[in-house]
Amino acid sequence: GAGVSQSPRYKVAKRGQDVALRCDPISGHVSLFWYQQALGQGPEFLTYFQNEAQLDKSGLPSDRFFAERPEGSVSTLKIQRTQQEDSAVYLCASSSLPRTGRKAFFGQGTRLTVV
Amino acid sequence: QKEVEQDPGPLSVPEGAIVSLNCTYSNSAFQYFMWYRQYSRKGPELLMYTYSSGNKEDGRFTAQVDKSSKYISLFIRDSQPSDSATYLCAMGRDGANSKLTFGKGITLSVRP
């Protein structure tokens, strides 16, 4: 595709509900990142994939957060038993280069609101 | 202290002004530096990418990196109302720990 695509754009979840956020990276991009952006803050790293391998998940805030990229293209970020503090914009980025964030291109993000 | 500190905002300038946006960092391992522009309710858009000390120019934008002082800047010449957005500095290093570390962002408003 022309750019990184994320869906849904907006998600409202009741506290305790599970959610799944989807990212379609730029075709052929080997590196894929997930970031969390709280209101008025810069994005914070969550996890990194090189193709289907999750090389770094050090930024995932708890074991309620889980990400996968089974075929090395589309990725899903899953949040179980959502809490109010999970409300944020979740951004996906991809890069054609391996093991680097150089020239990473971002999607529009998914705005998650937990009520 | 955060790894990346960005000058606080917001910043309001008249159209045509020269804008200077700055970030400092503490991690000398950072190898590359980027500036992103983020419009309201949109994702960050890559503006400038540099990996060495010095200046890089692209149209009205100039990115400056001083690795010895751990200081980066973005200059915008002849600012336009369409430049009104949040500007984020970001930096990183290669390898398995390849995440980008962002500044907090500064919101710029260019008044017509």
Side-chain angles (χ1 to χ4, degrees):
Chain A
V4 179
S5 178
Q6 292 187 245
S7 60
R9 287 292 316 278
Y10 302 93
K11 177 69 179 177
V12 178
K14 291 186 177 178
R15 189 167 41 181
Q17 188 178 357
D18 297 350
V19 297
L21 313 180
R22 178 187 168 105
C23 172
D24 281 85
I26 295 172
S27 179
H29 276 198
V30 298
S31 290
L32 186 145
F33 302 83
W34 283 98
Y35 289 83
Q36 180 190 60
Q37 187 174 25
L39 189 64
Q41 303 294 318
E44 296 277 345
F45 171 79
L46 292 176
T47 187
Y48 165 63
F49 289 87
Q50 179 181 315
N51 297 308
E52 68 279 2
Q54 189 174 21
L55 297 187
D56 188 350
K57 53 182 180 180
S58 62
L60 296 177
S62 77
D63 58 8
R64 296 187 295 104
F65 287 71
F66 172 76
E68 60 183 5
R69 193 185 185 199
E71 296 178 359
S73 54
V74 171
S75 178
T76 303
L77 177 67
K78 297 179 180 178
I79 309 174
Q80 297 177 323
R81 304 181 303 281
T82 51
Q83 307 287 319
Q84 282 194 315
E85 62 262 27
D86 300 335
S87 295
V89 175
Y90 291 85
L91 294 164
C92 176
S94 70
S95 170
S96 61
L97 303 170
R99 299 194 176 222
T100 181
R102 293 176 194 256
K103 302 186 180 181
F105 294 91
F106 281 80
Q108 301 265 47
T110 293
R111 183 176 297 271
L112 173 66
T113 304
V114 181
V115 297
Chain B
Q1 184 188 3
K2 289 200 160 191
E3 276 189 297
V4 178
E5 299 280 358
Q6 188 165 359
D7 285 353
L11 184 61
S12 180
V13 301
E15 185 174 354
I18 296 174
V19 176
S20 171
L21 308 175
N22 307 297
C23 288
T24 58
Y25 62 96
S26 57
N27 188 347
S28 58
F30 286 138
Q31 296 172 298
Y32 54 87
F33 309 88
M34 297 187 286
W35 285 94
Y36 284 87
R37 178 174 62 195
Q38 187 173 28
Y39 291 113
S40 181
R41 296 187 177 268
K42 300 289 187 183
E45 171 195 4
L46 181 61
L47 268 183
M48 299 288 285
Y49 159 74
T50 59
Y51 57 89
S52 59
S53 285
N55 292 352
K56 180 178 181 180
E57 191 174 316
D58 184 0
R60 296 184 296 110
F61 298 91
T62 299
Q64 187 175 81
V65 173
D66 183 345
K67 286 189 174 181
S68 61
S69 301
K70 297 191 183 68
Y71 189 90
I72 70 170
S73 298
L74 178 70
F75 298 96
I76 307 174
R77 291 184 299 281
D78 186 26
S79 56
Q80 304 294 310
S82 58
D83 295 329
S84 298
T86 295
Y87 290 80
L88 297 155
C89 62
M91 46 200 80
R93 60 188 178 97
D94 297 335
N97 183 8
S98 55
K99 67 178 183 179
L100 293 175
T101 301
F102 283 84
K104 186 176 178 180
I106 183 169
T107 299
L108 171 67
S109 175
V110 181
R111 309 185 302 271

